[in-house]
Amino acid sequence: MMQLLIIDALNLIRRIYAVQTSQHQDEVSQLATTRTAVEQVAQKLLNQFTPSHVVAVFDGAPKGFRHRLHPDYKAGRPPMPDQLAAHLEQLQQSFWQLGIDALLSDTDEADDLIATLANTLAAHQRQVTIVSTDKGFCQLLNPWVRLWDHFNQRWLDADHVQQRYGLAVEQLVDYWALTGVSGSGIKGVPGIGPKRAQALLQHHGSLDQLLAARVEKRDEQRVRQHASQALLARQLVKLVDDIELGFNLKDLRYRR
């Protein structure tokens, strides 16, 4: 049975690196132990999921269409430490030595590459496992796409979405459009926090239905007043899944 394992490489690497910097004083040890830990985790994931195909997706496009739409996109995020950035090529080599190809683009964000891979295979009823702690990938969840949080050893699935947000997977993008995503510098609707966004979507179903509703309640009015901001936020939050990848899936076949 075909199964594609997608590793959100920088999500994995940066979390591992953060642990190593807290345990080691000198830069050489930090980088060496990061590489060792990345290799160990990657091997563990291969053993755990026994994929037929596998890829590690890197972020090679610091400026993309979201930056053009919203110059403050991800502006508040701390940059990758220079020493780690200079070490990424060696970490890519570590993946290659384990039989894991590396994918990155000069024009597209890693999240959109992952979304394109996942939804393309899901459309053909092929199993996809994404390894990441980024909850933005929860919008991709369906019977063929699942999300694994390696560090907490748990599935971020539809039950997780319901427990955390009180909403269905299909409502997540609209939820973030209303609340904004502070970590990415995306502003939602002023005065609409998580509880109000949840209540609005539970009642109206979607942002489009909310904007079309003839309701004079304060929160609904507030959303309509800031409709353009909410629609921009939705465009920034929604993952793109139709990128021209330029390679064949057979190129990602895992060979031990």
Side-chain angles (χ1 to χ4, degrees):
M1 178 180 177
M2 180 183 171
Q3 179 188 177
L4 173 63
L5 176 65
I6 303 175
I7 300 173
D8 183 0
L10 291 190
N11 177 272
L12 182 74
I13 290 167
R14 294 192 70 162
R15 287 185 67 107
I16 290 175
Y17 179 74
V19 173
Q20 303 311 316
T21 55
S22 68
Q23 296 178 348
H24 302 276
Q25 294 294 322
D26 64 291
E27 180 182 312
V28 173
S29 296
Q30 292 168 359
L31 294 174
T33 54
T34 294
R35 184 171 184 176
T36 299
V38 167
E39 292 171 354
Q40 290 173 343
V41 170
Q43 187 62 65
K44 182 176 181 179
L45 292 169
L46 290 171
N47 294 339
Q48 178 178 353
F49 294 111
T50 60
S52 62
H53 297 69
V54 61
V55 64
V57 182
F58 285 78
D59 216 336
K63 300 290 183 181
F65 79 93
R66 292 182 179 86
H67 292 89
R68 293 191 291 274
L69 288 172
H70 183 55
D72 290 335
Y73 176 65
K74 292 187 176 180
R77 288 193 179 184
M80 181 183 297
D82 291 339
Q83 62 269 25
L84 180 60
H87 200 64
L88 286 183
E89 189 171 338
Q90 294 183 50
L91 291 169
Q92 288 177 10
Q93 278 292 148
S94 294
F95 283 112
W96 285 328
Q97 289 168 4
L98 291 170
I100 303 172
D101 205 353
L103 173 64
L104 69 161
S105 167
D106 293 331
T107 56
D108 301 296
E109 290 187 61
D111 293 1
D112 297 323
L113 294 173
I114 291 171
T116 297
L117 280 167
N119 284 350
T120 298
L121 267 71
H124 294 87
Q125 298 186 342
R126 298 290 188 262
Q127 185 70 61
V128 179
T129 301
I130 301 169
V131 178
S132 180
T133 61
D134 186 346
K135 294 176 177 60
F137 290 123
C138 286
Q139 65 183 273
L140 302 176
L141 295 173
N142 63 49
W144 298 102
V145 178
R146 55 187 185 173
L147 179 60
W148 175 251
D149 176 352
H150 166 76
F151 296 96
N152 291 301
Q153 291 290 294
R154 62 175 179 173
W155 292 106
L156 302 180
D157 53 15
D159 287 340
H160 168 81
V161 171
Q162 181 61 233
Q163 290 171 9
R164 175 161 182 167
Y165 302 102
L167 298 169
V169 168
E170 295 75 18
Q171 295 174 299
L172 280 177
V173 171
D174 286 350
Y175 171 83
W176 289 317
L178 292 171
T179 64
V181 182
S182 59
S184 296
I186 299 173
K187 296 179 180 178
V189 176
I192 301 296
K195 289 185 177 180
R196 287 182 175 178
Q198 179 193 75
L200 286 168
L201 291 173
Q202 286 176 341
H203 181 72
H204 294 281
S206 70
L207 175 59
D208 291 332
Q209 291 172 320
L210 169 56
L211 292 173
R214 301 295 182 184
V215 180
E216 299 304 320
K217 293 181 180 179
R218 183 182 61 182
D219 287 343
E220 281 82 355
Q221 288 181 335
R222 183 180 284 117
V223 173
R224 284 200 292 273
Q225 289 168 359
H226 297 275
S228 60
Q229 190 165 314
L231 293 172
L232 172 61
R234 182 166 70 177
Q235 189 175 0
L236 296 171
V237 167
K238 184 173 176 58
L239 295 177
V240 175
D241 64 357
D242 59 355
I243 296 171
E244 188 66 43
L245 294 173
F247 62 86
N248 195 296
L249 187 63
K250 66 181 181 181
D251 297 329
L252 304 182
R253 179 171 290 282
Y254 173 54
R255 296 176 176 84
R256 291 184 179 275

